Every structure is written in C-alpha cells, then in structure tokens.
C-alpha cells in the first residue's frame, strides 16, 4: 500500500529585522510522515523559493500592508546612522580635549588641598605652600579630614605676615617664589571649555588696571556677572547712580557677555544680597567661578557671599567654617578652592588671581605692598597747575612723575585755570617741585627723601622711571573734568578746572577751554589709561551727563544694581 504524505508549511525561520527586503518572505519546506492506513491523502505542496526568485507578499485588504523600504529610504537611513556616529565621535573628542586642557586643574581637585589657599598639601618642604607637619597629615588622612587642614603659610598670612609665592611676569620681588604667574593663569584655562557661570570682580579704585583685558580667553562664551568691589572707598557724597551708569558704559565697550553689573562692598555687605539673587537666577545647575585679578578681593567677596547666603541656606552656613584666607598679599590663593554653598547642588570655586605685569604692585617689594591698598575712604588731593610746576608722586620711591607743559602755539594762561586731583592711598607722599629743578631734585633725593616705607635698602635695585608717555588732554566743557589719568594699580588723577576741585580757589572757568600736554614718567611695565572722568564726590552728579539710548541699545545693555 502506498504511503500517505502530508506537506505542512513551517513558520518564518528568521526575523525580518536582520534580513534584506529580498529575504523577508517566509520559507516553506515539505515534510513526509508514514501512516499505517493505505488511503492516500494528497495536499498541494509548495516548493522552497530560491534567492533568485522575486518575493511575493500576500496582498493586504485596502492597501493596509507595510511597503518594503525603497533604495532612497535605505540611503537616508545609512546617512543618518553616519551622522549620529560622527556626533558621538565629536563628543568623545571634545571630552578628551577638555580633560587634556584641564587635566592639571582636575587633578588638583582630586589631590587634597589647603582650604585656605588651594595649594596641594605636602610634608616635604617646610617653607613651601601647602606644608603640614607629618603627624597632623597622617592623623587627618586616617580620619578622612584632609579637607579641613590649613597649611603653615596660610596660618602665617592670617596673622599679618607678608609671604609671597608668585614670581615671573607679574609676580613679586622679595621672598621665595614657588609658582609663576603664567602657571596660575594656566590653571584657569579650562573655564572656556566648561558650562559655568562666571562672577568677575573689578576694583573700582583701579577699574582699568584690574579689569582683565583678555578675560574672554578665560571665560569663553559663559555668562558673566560683573561685580565692582570696594565702592565704600569712593569719596563721601558720591552718587552711585552716576557711578553705576559710568561702569556700564565702560563695560559695554569691552563687548563681553555681561548679564548684570553690581556695585558692592565686601566689608559692609552692601550690594551682596543682589549678587546672591542674581547667581541663584542665572546658575541653572552650573558651577560658579569667582574670577578676577590678584588682590581684587575675591576671598573677601566669597566670605561676604557665604555670610549672606547662610541666613537661608544651611549648606552655606556650614561652608563658613572652612573658608578661604584673606590677606593683603596678592597671590594668596594658589589653586582652585571648591566650596559647597548651595542646598540644591552646585559649587562655588575661588580661583587664583590673575597677576598682571602692568600694575604698580609688580614693581614694588612685597613688604611695601600694604601701602598700595587704600584702607579708608578716598579724599581727593588737588594741586593747581601754576607756573609749570613739576608734579611728582612717589610710592616706595618708585611710582610716577608728571610734567605739564602747554602745547605749542597755545596760550599758557590756560594752565593756571587747571588742577590735578589725585585719588589714591593716603600713605603716598606728593612733592611739588618747579620744573627746572625736577631732575636735580629726583637725583638728589633718591634714597633720602624718596625712600620706600620699609627702609632705604629696598631702593638698591631700583631701575628708575624708564617709561615716558605724552598725553594730550583737551577740555570740551569748562564745567566738568576733562579726563582721568589712571595709573594701573595705584589710583587716578582727575584733570579738571580749578572751580570744580574742593579746597582750591575759584576763578574764571571760561578761559579753561584749552589743551594740555602731560608727560608722564612711570616704571617700565606700569600702564597709563586715559578715560572719561569717574563721577565721584558731591559734585559728580552735577556735571555727569547720562547718554540717551535707542530701544535696541536698551535691550542689550546690562542692568546695574546697588
């Protein structure tokens, strides 16, 4: 009896996700079974399809079936995959670049550092920053408390000792130099690659000298909150509305991504609450970096910031126990100091100050640095320009001198109508000497009358006033100062009519519309800035002129707060 056969169609053997369109169709195979009964049962058999055959899919009602991808779809999918791969590779390269650029900084964060200055802790060099005696180091390390250790140098700084550690271009003479100004600046180079909020500090007494001309190289495209410090030192009666407008005008010329400007005083906490509110509004989960030039007051500002935040934030209150050291020595902070200051996450970093070679402090001995820092409210010292007097101002025997003379073919009667008003530290002595006797006086009194506050021996290596700049000052309006001559790191001199200066006799201002030629002598690296006059004192609001703006200018103009 002939065997009975049965052909069954098997289920699809492969998932269509792993097949090309030609292999999506399921494959059928023939199976043969033996039955004891001789009755034949014949079923239609389907032969297996070869690769050369074109697949035929069963028609779906009303065209509801999925269509096979076309060549164009396959090409677009491939291009999309390549683009996604390129994005992943680009992100990996950027991450490696950031790690390479900021490797030293990231490594320094992993190494235990002094909470006062940010220097890595060490037990080898007793005079170097970060030194801790070995027993204390081992004990703190055993209990995981190295973040609560203050190094020996910070202990001395907190007791008023002047211990410098920064040398090189922009560093300071005298004492040991353990790090260069260039190395400290390199520790900030990673900021332009990070998504951070920058709080940039500027000293109002040395606005131009402390502004950091190349701040864009450090901050990148990150938003900047500009904080103007030490406004409590401005002369009594100053209208801060005029000062705030003046600062915004000067800032707009820098073309930076400044979101707001704040006038503050870390000593009296004036304006600090506004900065806290602005940081909370602009932080958006980012870390906050305090940036500024050396000795601009970053550590004092952070202490004031933590004190103001501690009223509502217990995390900031706890951070006050281990806060950065404040010192009159530029270069106190030698590494980034991480501070946990926000309850919702995020950190504040106190960064090393940027040391600038063009400031007066760079040419002064370290022990004479305190005399450069104003300790109380500034008072303008005015001197009429009569008989072509030689105006000489010496700080530590090595500051600057100014010689005034009329321009060629100009009436010298303009000079008696003009005076110079100096705003700077009260410790600086001013000498008025006739022009014909100026050179002889300088050569005779160097080392005698013209000596540093700490002693004559500090002047042995004095190189003299090597740089000479000629400044042409023109009075546009006899009722207001013409210009400010700012000496980087020292203060500024207002060139103004006699009637505008306190303590000087009044005279006919109509004749003061003249031009002056100022010859300024300074040490070689010190820079001179000629700027619009800063409106200070009681008379500042009388002559200051507000500029009118268009709607477009008002949109991009940062707001100032006080």
């Amino acid at each position: 009896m002939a065997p009975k056969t049965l052909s069954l169609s098997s289920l699809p053997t492969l998932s269509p996700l792993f097949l090309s369109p030609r292999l999506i169709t399921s494959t059928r195979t023939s199976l043969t079974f033996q039955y004891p009964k001789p009755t034949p049962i014949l079923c239609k058999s389907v032969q297996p399809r070869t690769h050369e055959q074109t697949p035929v899919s069963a028609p779906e009602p009303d065209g509801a079936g999925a269509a096979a991808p076309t060549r164009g779809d396959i090409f677009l999918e491939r291009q999309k995959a390549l683009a996604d791969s390129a994005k992943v590779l680009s992100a990996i390269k950027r991450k490696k670049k950031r790690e390479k650029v900021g490797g030293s900084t990231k490594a320094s964060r992993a190494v235990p550092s002094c909470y006062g200055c940010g220097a890595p802790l060490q037990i080898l060099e007793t005079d170097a920053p970060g030194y801790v005696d070995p027993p204390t180091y081992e004990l703190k390390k055993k209990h995981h408390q190295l973040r609560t250790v203050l190094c020996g140098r910070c202990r001395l700084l907190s007791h008023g000792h002047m211990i410098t550690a920064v040398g090189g271009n922009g560093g300071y003479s005298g004492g040991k130099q353990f790090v260069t100004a260039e190395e400290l600046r390199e520790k900030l180079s990673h900021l332009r690659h990070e998504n951070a909020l920058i709080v940039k500090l500027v000293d109002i007494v040395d606005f131009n000298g402390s502004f950091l001309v190349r701040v864009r190289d450090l901050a990148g495209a990150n938003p900047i909150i500009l904080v103007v410090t030490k406004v409590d030192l401005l002369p009594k009666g100053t209208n801060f509305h005029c000062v705030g407008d003046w600062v915004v005008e000067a800032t707009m010329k820098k073309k930076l991504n400044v979101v707001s400007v704040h006038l503050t005083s870390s000593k009296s906490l004036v304006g600090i609450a506004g900065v806290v509110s602005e940081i909370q509004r602009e932080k958006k989960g980012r870390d906050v970096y305090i940036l500024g030039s050396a000795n601009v007051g970053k550590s004092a500002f952070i202490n004031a910031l933590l004190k103001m935040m501690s009223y509502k934030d217990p995390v900031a209150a706890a951070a006050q126990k281990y806060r950065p050291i404040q010192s009159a020595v530029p270069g106190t902070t030698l590494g980034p100091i991480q501070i946990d200051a926000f309850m919702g996450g995020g950190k504040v970093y106190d960064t090393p100050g940027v040391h600038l070679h063009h400031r007066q402090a760079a040419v002064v001995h370290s022990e004479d640095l305190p005399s450069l820092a104003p300790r109380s409210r500034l008072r303008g010292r005015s001197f009429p320009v009569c008989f072509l007097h030689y105006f000489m101002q010496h700080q530590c025997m090595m500051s600057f001198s100014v010689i005034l003379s009329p321009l060629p073919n100009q009436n010298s009667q303009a000079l008696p109508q003009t005076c110079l008003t100096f705003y700077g530290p009260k410790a600086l002595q001013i000498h008025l000497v006739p022009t014909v006797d100026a050179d002889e006086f300088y050569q005779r009194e160097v080392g005698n009358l013209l000596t540093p506050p700490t002693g004559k021996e500090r002047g042995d290596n004095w190189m003299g006033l090597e740089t000479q700049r000629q400044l042409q000052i023109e009075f546009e309006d006899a009722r207001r100062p013409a210009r400010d001559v700012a000496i980087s790191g020292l203060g500024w001199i207002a060139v103004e009519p006699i009637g505008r200066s306190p303590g000087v006799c009044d005279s006919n201002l109509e004749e003061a519309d003249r031009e002056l030629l100022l010859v300024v002598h300074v040490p070689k690296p010190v820079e001179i800035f000629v700027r619009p006059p800063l409106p200070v004192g009681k008379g500042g609001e009388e002559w200051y002129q507000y500029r009118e703006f268009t709607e477009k200018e008002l949109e991009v103009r940062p707001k100032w707060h006080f």
Side-chain angles (χ1 to χ4, degrees):
M1 183 178 293
K4 298 178 181 181
T5 63
L6 174 65
S7 285
L8 300 176
S9 298
S10 65
L11 294 174
T13 58
L14 294 174
S15 172
L17 295 175
F18 300 92
L19 299 176
S20 65
R22 298 178 62 88
L23 299 179
I24 293 177
T25 307
S26 61
T27 305
R28 299 180 179 181
T29 59
S30 297
L31 301 178
T32 304
F33 298 90
Q34 298 293 333
Y35 289 89
K37 295 183 180 181
T39 304
I41 298 176
L42 298 177
C43 296
K44 183 178 180 181
S45 175
V46 179
Q47 298 295 329
R49 203 175 266 117
T50 62
H51 292 287
E52 288 78 8
Q53 293 175 314
T54 303
V56 180
S57 59
E60 295 286 343
D62 299 330
T70 63
R71 290 178 178 270
D73 294 336
I74 297 173
F75 175 78
L76 292 177
E77 289 292 335
R78 186 177 300 169
Q79 293 299 316
K80 183 179 178 182
L82 292 175
D84 293 341
S85 301
K87 290 181 180 179
V88 173
L89 291 175
S90 178
I92 293 175
K93 289 181 179 179
R94 288 197 302 268
K95 182 177 179 181
K96 290 182 177 180
K97 183 177 180 180
R98 286 196 300 266
E99 291 177 353
K100 181 178 180 180
V101 173
S104 60
T105 303
K106 294 181 182 296
S108 64
R109 296 177 194 169
V111 176
S113 302
C114 170
Y115 73 82
C117 66
L121 298 179
Q122 50 91 16
I123 58 176
L124 299 178
E125 299 183 59
T126 57
D127 296 334
Y131 174 78
V132 182
D133 58 280
T136 302
Y137 183 88
E138 294 299 331
L139 180 62
K140 294 294 184 180
K141 182 178 180 181
K142 180 180 179 180
H143 295 281
H144 305 284
Q145 296 179 342
L146 288 176
R147 291 191 61 183
T148 65
V149 175
L150 193 67
C151 72
R153 174 176 176 266
C154 286
R155 295 182 184 277
L156 293 176
L157 289 175
S158 63
H159 287 82
H161 293 268
M162 303 297 294
I163 306 175
T164 59
V166 183
N169 189 20
Y172 306 97
S173 59
K176 295 187 177 180
Q177 301 170 359
F178 300 96
V179 64
T180 65
E182 291 78 6
E183 291 174 347
L184 287 183
R185 191 181 184 94
E186 185 63 26
K187 291 185 179 182
L188 303 175
S189 61
H190 70 97
L191 287 180
R192 62 176 177 266
H193 301 292
E194 294 192 10
N195 184 19
L197 176 63
I198 306 298
V199 179
K200 174 177 161 34
L201 270 60
V202 181
D203 185 352
I204 189 62
V205 180
D206 186 27
F207 184 85
N208 299 84
S210 63
F211 197 90
L212 299 182
V213 178
R214 299 174 58 188
V215 64
R216 191 181 291 106
D217 296 343
L218 300 176
N222 290 314
I224 298 175
I225 298 176
L226 183 65
V227 176
V228 182
T229 63
K230 305 178 184 179
V231 296
D232 57 324
L233 296 180
L234 293 179
K236 188 176 182 180
T238 298
N239 188 323
F240 289 102
H241 292 278
C242 300
V243 175
D245 187 80
W246 184 91
V247 170
V248 173
E249 281 290 302
T251 303
M252 290 292 292
K253 299 178 182 179
K254 308 292 184 180
K255 301 185 182 302
L256 299 174
N257 184 19
V258 176
V259 297
S260 62
V261 176
H262 299 261
L263 306 182
T264 67
S265 169
S266 300
K267 183 178 180 180
S268 61
L269 299 183
V270 171
I272 301 298
V275 180
V276 172
S277 300
E278 189 73 15
I279 290 176
Q280 296 286 6
R281 183 166 47 250
E282 297 289 339
K283 186 167 70 69
K284 300 176 182 178
R286 296 174 289 197
D287 291 335
V288 180
Y289 287 83
I290 312 300
L291 191 67
S293 62
N295 214 29
V296 77
K298 294 185 299 300
S299 298
F301 170 76
I302 290 178
N303 293 338
L305 196 71
L306 293 176
K307 184 176 182 179
M308 184 63 65
M309 293 172 61
S310 64
Y311 297 140
K312 297 182 179 181
D313 193 338
V315 177
Q320 289 192 95
K321 187 175 182 181
Y322 305 105
R323 54 190 181 184
I325 290 294
Q326 293 180 228
S327 173
V329 178
T332 298
T333 304
L334 300 177
I337 302 176
Q338 174 182 311
I339 304 172
D340 298 325
F342 302 106
M343 183 184 300
K347 299 175 177 59
V348 174
Y349 287 93
D350 186 8
T351 61
V354 179
H355 293 256
L356 305 174
H357 70 281
H358 60 73
R359 301 185 74 188
Q360 179 71 28
V363 297
V364 177
H365 194 276
S366 59
E367 295 186 7
D368 296 320
L369 290 174
S371 60
L372 287 178
R375 300 296 180 183
S376 59
R377 189 182 296 272
L378 299 178
R379 295 183 61 183
R381 288 180 279 177
S382 300
F383 304 92
V385 182
C386 301
F387 309 110
L388 301 184
H389 274 190
Y390 179 91
F391 173 89
M392 179 180 293
Q393 159 61 43
H394 287 276
Q395 194 282 327
C396 304
M397 189 198 64
M398 50 188 77
S399 183
F400 68 94
S401 63
V402 183
I403 301 177
L404 294 101
S405 62
L407 289 174
N409 302 324
Q410 292 290 333
N411 186 356
S412 61
Q413 292 181 357
L415 287 176
Q417 308 298 331
T418 308
C419 73
L420 305 178
T421 302
F422 175 70
Y423 296 92
K426 295 180 180 179
L428 307 187
Q429 297 181 0
I430 298 177
H431 304 278
L432 288 177
V433 184
T435 304
V436 294
D437 301 329
D439 292 335
E440 180 184 353
F441 171 82
Y442 180 76
Q443 297 296 332
R444 181 179 69 251
E445 298 298 339
V446 166
N448 297 313
L449 180 62
L450 307 178
T451 57
T454 54
K456 299 180 180 180
E457 63 278 2
R458 301 299 182 192
D460 295 340
N461 299 324
W462 170 234
M463 300 301 295
L465 305 173
E466 300 172 315
T467 302
Q468 174 180 323
R469 281 196 59 187
Q470 293 188 358
L471 308 177
Q472 183 173 329
I473 306 297
E474 180 179 357
F475 280 98
E476 299 177 358
D477 188 347
R479 295 168 297 178
R480 59 194 304 267
R483 285 290 186 270
D484 283 349
V485 180
I487 297 91
S488 181
L490 192 63
W492 75 93
I493 302 173
V495 182
E496 53 188 354
I498 282 183
R500 300 247 57 91
S501 303
V504 183
C505 59
D506 195 0
S507 61
N508 185 10
L509 300 181
E510 300 299 330
E511 299 294 333
D513 191 11
R514 298 288 191 275
E515 291 182 344
L516 296 178
L517 177 65
L518 274 67
V519 183
V520 185
H521 299 264
V522 292
K524 188 173 184 179
V526 177
E527 282 201 28
I528 302 296
F529 302 93
V530 179
R531 69 188 189 190
L534 178 64
V536 296
K538 296 181 179 179
E541 61 180 330
E542 298 178 2
W543 57 258
Y544 186 74
Q545 297 177 346
Y546 292 92
R547 188 167 65 90
E548 296 183 359
F549 305 98
T550 62
E551 293 184 0
K552 185 177 181 180
E553 289 176 332
L554 288 175
E555 291 179 358
V556 299
R557 180 181 170 89
K559 305 297 182 182
W560 69 270
H561 307 272
F562 175 66

